[in-house]
Amino acid sequence: MRRSILSSLRAHLGRLIAACLAIVLGVGFGALAMTAHASASHGVNETIGKANAGVDAAVTADRESILPKQVDAIRKLPQADSVVVDTSAYMQVAWAGKVRPDYLGIAARYDTSRIAGPKAIQGRLPDSTLELALPAKLAEKYQVGLGTKLTISSYDDKRWTVTVVGLLDDSTTVGPSNAVATAQTVKVFEPNGYINSVKVAAKPGVSQDALAAAITPVIGSGLTVYTGEGWIQHEVQGFTNGIDVIGGVFGMFALISLFVACLVIANTFTIVIAQRTREMALLRCVGASRRQVFSSVIAEASIVGLVASTIGVVFGIALSALGLALAREFDWGIPPVQLHLDLASIFLPLLLGTIATILAAVVPARRATRVAPLAALRPEAAPVAASKAGVVRLVFGFLLLAGGGSLLAVCASTNEVLVGVGGGVISFLGVLAIGSLLVPALVRLLGALPARSGGVPARIAVGNAVRNPKRTAATTSALLIGVTLISLTCVGIASVRKTFDATMDEAYPVDLMVKAYQEKMPASAEQQLRDIKGITEVVPVRTVEVKAGEQQLTVTGIDQTKAPAVVHNPDLVGQLKPGVALLDRATMTTLDLKDGADVTLVAGQSKLTLKAYRGNGLESFTVTQTDLRRLSPNAGISGFWLTTDPKADGPEVIDAVEQSIPSVKDMSVEGGLAERSAYTKVFDVLLAVAVGLLGVSVLIALVGVGNTLSLSVLERTRENALLRAMGLTRRQLRGMLAIESLLMALVAAGLGIALGLIYGWTGTAALMGAQTSGAVEYAVPGRLLITIAVVAAVAGLLASVLPARRAAKVAPAGALATE
């Protein structure tokens, strides 16, 4: 049998290439995900370990702040050798060329003889008062060199001039890094500086556990004590939680890709074994047992799975190494990570790919043993449309569909995500189970128009597509999974984003609110703001100081007719009218008011009584410009409310607004644009990553479509030759196969998009129902869904190119002579 297996592999290698490609893609994607995750985790562990080298114990604030007396108590411990206090000041710094100062964290330098600390890659660390070392990336951004003088200011407008004496190595940090100054300088900047943590190195012979045990009783409750190893794990956890989540997402998509690959493999082996029926029957006739036939098929699958999985692992590791190298070469905003391989990232994808291939071949292998030797030597009968097994499968499928649908309904009403995931999986398995009934029916329905208008080739194509319902269902199921998941992701992200936007409109109804303090806006301010790229609307507002009882308040007035252009919440726009004031929660509490209560305002000799209502997200006390003029007819423009283009880069717009109107020295920029932009970027990244990852499963599915068409062309060689002999041209034959492939692709796309809408909306209801006080918003990303359908259709046509060319090259006479 060993020679038979090797001979069979050589003879049928061309037919197994598509299955091998599916395994390579699925396993390669898994190896890529695991290698990238292992490299990132190892890089974080190594970086944080180096940053905390020498730490034997650490104390952090839990429920209370760390006090200086607690630090002194730790220093007095006989077990403590070196005690480092991590304290910092949050200051403002004036950068050259910037109109207004920016915020900068400044950490206190400490003794690094025992415990690792910041290192200077240029210049030196500060050792005198009013000296500063800046993070290298920050210095490069603002073009600051050694010896540069910077102005540092505090919240109470105290100012100091510091000298930059060094640049810090921040190549491995994530996010903004702190500058470093001496402890005396930080004390000058912030006399009551907040202590972030205390790091302690033990004396020789004292274990980390003993040091932590000695520290615990002297600091009291409210603080947390870690051993050195525990502290590093705590810090690592803060980073790797995100990495683990991303790794889990990658792993999930890798399993999906492998599952799709299994469908392609099973379909391939089913067709190959059906074509080799006579060959296996001959083996049975010369003495091979059913067990030997079964074992030979499994052995072939094992060899194919092992070889293809090995190639996939090499392919995935190579891609991971390339991606990490590009990340180091180009500034992608992430720390440089070196390739790190572990046994799991190499052998787990290899093992899963091999096992998946073997399992996918079990059913075809069992089917190969059921045919009697003499019966198999006779010509194969046409496939029977119905069977007992088919009926059982259909009944089971409808039960799964009903059960999964019920769970989805429960999920949408109770916001139980896990119930929804279970319902989605069960219902989708039900769809796959009834695919042999559902898919051919949809193909007939969709093929009715081309069958009528496309002539004989189109009618034959429709007939061929539904001739073997199980094969058609298996072919489309792989593509169906990919389209469903992509549609689900797009619909889910669009719906979550729409719900999030509605929530943001409630919490932050205005994109940006620009306000000047103790001065009026210049006449050119409005035009300056309009000239900023990304600003679409600018509406001026006026303010006046008033008294409400004993409270001194600032009242903001806006033109009622222009408010809809900058206020995204239509409910607030509807409330904002003469005689009404909109107050935030804090002001309502301060004035002890309830919705609809009267509030009287006094400004000089003017007095005005208004109805007070809650208006979150606006200024603390907002009225119409009409009412404001009754209090102060000559109130000048003190600020502007802005609307931005949703497609604009939020941080760039905010930075441009903050640096605008240079004649105004004290100006604030507030609003929901910063938070909205941050979440929008997250949604965009999630969508791009999800579509990219799921595209792998679609690619595997298309390989399956092309493979099935290729094998069906081989099966129908005599039939196609007869059609050619009867006058069908090569072009018509290629068109017939293209229509067949297109019908299957469109059915998979249509059904997948429909399921994606249902699953996406249900998932949004489960995820967002408990997160928002308002109603969940459902979206239909029409352009994306149309694009998915078009891509599936085009891909289906492309999958038919090679099989069609192969079919058209066969001469009619030669094909008719084929046995």
Side-chain angles (χ1 to χ4, degrees), residues 502-515 541 556 558 566-569 572-573 575-576 582-588 613-622 640-642 669-673 675-676:
T503 304
M504 287 292 294
D505 288 344
E506 278 190 37
Y508 303 100
V510 182
D511 287 345
L512 290 175
M513 294 187 287
V514 180
K515 187 191 308 179
V541 295
T556 302
I558 184 172
V566 290
V567 179
H568 300 309
N569 189 338
L572 292 181
V573 173
Q575 287 181 295
L576 190 61
L582 300 180
L583 286 65
D584 64 10
R585 183 195 300 270
T587 306
M588 292 282 283
Y613 293 95
R614 277 278 298 278
N616 290 336
L618 303 180
E619 296 288 1
S620 59
F621 203 117
T622 306
F640 299 91
W641 290 2
L642 314 177
V669 179
E670 301 173 350
L673 181 60
E675 188 168 352
R676 191 189 297 267

Side-chain angles (χ1 to χ4, degrees), residues 23-155:
I23 301 166
V24 168
L25 289 173
V27 172
F29 186 43
L32 168 65
M34 295 191 68
T35 303
H37 179 264
S39 300
S41 297
H42 180 265
V44 169
N45 288 339
E46 192 174 53
T47 299
I48 294 179
K50 288 181 179 179
N52 291 278
V55 176
D56 293 314
V59 180
T60 60
D62 186 7
R63 298 183 300 274
E64 299 178 3
S65 301
I66 302 174
L67 302 176
K69 66 178 183 179
Q70 293 170 318
V71 177
D72 293 337
I74 296 173
R75 285 198 173 102
K76 293 176 182 178
L77 290 172
Q79 295 90 342
D81 185 27
S82 177
V83 178
V84 166
V85 180
D86 178 13
T87 185
S88 59
Y90 198 55
M91 311 300 290
Q92 286 188 317
V93 57
W95 303 111
K98 294 293 183 179
V99 175
R100 295 178 188 84
D102 199 0
Y103 289 100
L104 177 67
I106 303 175
R109 180 188 175 184
Y110 52 81
D111 177 20
T112 58
S113 58
R114 288 291 312 276
I115 296 176
K119 295 181 180 179
I121 55 175
Q122 288 187 38
R124 58 179 175 82
L125 293 176
D127 54 23
S128 300
T129 307
L130 299 183
E131 288 185 343
L132 198 68
L134 285 177
K137 292 179 183 178
L138 193 65
E140 182 182 3
K141 177 180 178 180
Y142 293 108
Q143 299 181 345
V144 176
L146 299 179
T148 302
K149 303 288 184 181
L150 296 176
T151 300
I152 302 292
S153 57
S154 63
Y155 66 93

Side-chain angles (χ1 to χ4, degrees), residues 277-467:
T277 300
R278 292 190 175 188
E279 172 189 329
M280 292 184 174
L282 183 60
L283 289 174
R284 293 290 311 282
C285 286
V286 297
S289 65
R290 290 190 176 189
R291 181 177 180 180
Q292 287 177 314
V293 171
F294 179 84
S295 299
S296 69
V297 176
I298 295 300
E300 288 182 30
S302 302
I303 295 172
V304 170
L306 182 61
V307 173
S309 297
T310 302
I311 297 172
V313 169
V314 174
F315 177 66
I317 292 174
L319 281 182
S320 181
L322 177 62
L324 294 175
L326 291 175
R328 292 192 298 271
E329 182 70 22
F330 302 100
D331 185 11
W332 288 353
I334 58 176
V337 175
Q338 300 295 327
L339 180 68
H340 175 75
L341 298 178
D342 55 21
L343 293 178
S345 60
I346 296 175
F347 289 104
L348 187 58
L350 181 65
L351 184 63
L352 287 176
T354 305
I355 292 175
T357 307
I358 295 172
L359 292 177
V362 167
V363 173
R366 289 186 61 189
R367 189 175 294 123
T369 65
R370 292 176 181 173
V371 182
L374 294 178
L377 289 173
R378 294 195 296 267
E380 183 180 2
V384 180
S387 66
K388 184 177 180 182
V391 172
V392 172
R393 180 177 180 177
L394 289 176
V395 172
F396 185 64
F398 280 114
L399 290 176
L400 287 176
L401 197 59
S406 301
L407 289 178
L408 288 175
V410 171
C411 157
S413 59
T414 62
N415 304 322
E416 292 290 341
V417 178
L418 291 179
V419 174
V421 172
V425 171
I426 292 172
S427 61
F428 192 80
L429 289 176
V431 172
L432 293 180
I434 65 172
S436 58
L437 175 67
L438 179 63
V439 172
L442 292 175
V443 169
R444 287 192 187 92
L445 180 64
L446 193 63
L449 180 61
R452 290 181 181 178
S453 58
V456 173
R459 289 197 295 273
I460 296 175
V462 175
N464 285 337
V466 299
R467 177 185 297 179

Side-chain angles (χ1 to χ4, degrees), residues 174-175 202 342 420 490 494 677 783:
V174 180
D342 55 21
C490 294
S677 298
R783 292 183 180 179

